Amino acid sequence: MGMIRWLNRHRWGFALLWAVPALFLAAVSRTWRVGAVLLIWIPLAIAVAWLYFTALEKEMKQARDALEHCDPELLLRTSRELAEGFPLKRPRTRSVGISLGLSESTALFSMGREAEAARLLDRLEPWVQTSGGPNRATWLLNRATAALREKNGPRARRFLEEAERTVEAMAPEGRKASAWETILERYRWQLRFLEKEDPAQLLREVCSWLERPESLRLQVMDHYHAACCLRALGRTEEARPHLEFAVEFGGGLEVRRRAADLLKQLQRPETP
């Protein structure tokens, strides 16, 4: 992270990283012809650029992995810091800038900071309209997240259906590599729960997910949703262990607070 931060704040560092070695090698060889310098400079430029973007991707992967372990703070901080070096107004940095902004909004939603996330999505909208593939699909799903939090079923369905069409238009290898179907499956479930489908059927689906090896974040979400189904079925005693799991392992996720609130409700003595 240190190198990425430094380069984002000192863009002249890129030139030094490959220009200085190129000039040094040219001087050692006592060849100052432009062709010789370029012959060394161009491969070095490519190598440094490759190292930079490899390091950037590594930083973002670590931040996304932290989210999957219920720590959204690292994703929020990393996305904001890296976005400083990828302004949206520059065409060559726009795609990465959009991606970082979307990662920031995902972290904000995970932390329950819906208003901040919604404002960020509004700012990204003009740029996302010119984008496609993963960036557009993520923007649409984050919009669907906002609608689901507001319990606005028709709006959530509209964004989800458009996200599904966007994912369908992506290359098959892209859909498979990014596990889009798993993501869409969870969104469809949440919409169906909001629209009050049969909780017994929804519970069976959640329990089937809990039998798969998933990330801790998804486990926490699934346990919480299982508890919601059980509560709707009047099986409150069975709901408690699921809520306790979400509270114990939810970390910095907003769903942990929701699980704690629901657990308190279930623990209150019933009034005659």
Side-chain angles (χ1 to χ4, degrees):
M1 189 66 175
M3 184 186 80
I4 295 293
R5 286 176 179 168
W6 187 85
L7 287 175
N8 275 340
R9 288 163 173 74
H10 305 88
R11 283 311 178 90
W12 48 266
F14 283 106
L16 289 179
L17 282 173
W18 62 70
V20 170
L23 293 173
F24 174 77
L25 289 173
V28 169
S29 65
R30 296 180 181 179
T31 306
W32 286 95
R33 288 177 304 205
V34 174
V37 173
L38 289 177
L39 189 64
I40 300 169
W41 185 83
I42 291 174
L44 283 172
I46 294 171
V48 171
W50 179 82
L51 287 172
Y52 175 79
F53 284 101
T54 299
L56 184 147
E57 182 57 34
K58 181 180 179 181
E59 292 296 334
M60 287 305 297
K61 183 179 184 306
Q62 290 174 347
R64 293 189 188 102
D65 287 346
L67 174 62
E68 295 306 311
H69 287 86
C70 303
D71 176 17
E73 181 64 38
L74 180 60
L75 181 60
L76 177 63
R77 187 171 63 251
T78 302
S79 299
R80 284 179 170 174
E81 290 178 352
L82 294 180
E84 295 175 8
F86 295 90
L88 297 174
K89 292 183 179 180
R90 294 181 185 173
R92 63 189 178 88
T93 62
R94 184 172 301 153
S95 180
V96 177
I98 292 172
S99 179
L100 292 169
L102 291 170
S103 293
E104 180 183 341
S105 70
T106 297
L108 288 168
F109 276 123
S110 298
M111 300 167 77
R113 295 160 63 174
E114 286 89 355
E116 292 177 68
R119 287 195 296 270
L120 178 55
L121 291 177
D122 288 341
R123 291 200 303 271
L124 290 172
E125 184 172 6
W127 309 108
V128 172
Q129 299 306 324
T130 63
S131 182
N135 277 347
R136 181 162 180 77
T138 302
W139 184 86
L140 289 165
L141 289 177
N142 283 356
R143 280 297 194 196
T145 296
L148 288 167
R149 297 282 177 88
E150 296 167 358
K151 300 188 184 304
N152 188 332
R155 182 176 171 84
R157 179 174 293 280
R158 186 168 68 252
F159 283 121
L160 178 56
E161 289 176 349
E162 191 173 348
E164 289 173 335
R165 290 193 293 270
T166 302
V167 170
E168 185 61 30
M170 292 164 56
E173 59 271 17
R175 295 198 301 269
K176 182 177 179 182
S178 301
W180 281 106
E181 186 52 43
T182 298
I183 297 169
L184 292 171
E185 187 178 33
R186 294 304 203 288
Y187 275 89
R188 294 186 196 107
W189 189 98
Q190 291 182 61
L191 180 60
R192 290 163 57 204
F193 184 83
L194 179 63
E195 295 176 338
K196 302 187 184 304
E197 277 200 23
D198 178 17
Q201 173 59 34
L202 293 172
L203 177 62
R204 284 191 290 272
E205 293 179 22
V206 173
C207 289
S208 71
W209 297 341
L210 287 171
E211 292 174 359
R212 308 180 202 164
E214 300 277 12
S215 71
L216 182 60
R217 181 182 67 86
L218 288 179
Q219 289 181 54
V220 167
M221 295 292 296
D222 291 343
H223 275 286
Y224 172 75
H225 289 141
C228 291
C229 291
L230 288 164
R231 186 193 185 203
L233 292 166
R235 296 156 58 179
T236 56
E237 286 301 318
E238 295 176 65
R240 283 195 177 100
H242 292 285
L243 293 172
E244 289 167 353
F245 182 96
V247 170
E248 181 177 357
F249 298 104
L253 299 180
E254 189 270 342
V255 70
R256 180 179 184 272
R257 180 192 58 76
R258 281 186 280 159
D261 290 345
L262 185 53
L263 189 60
K264 288 178 182 178
Q265 292 178 29
L266 298 182
Q267 289 171 345
R268 290 174 189 160
E270 295 184 5
T271 56

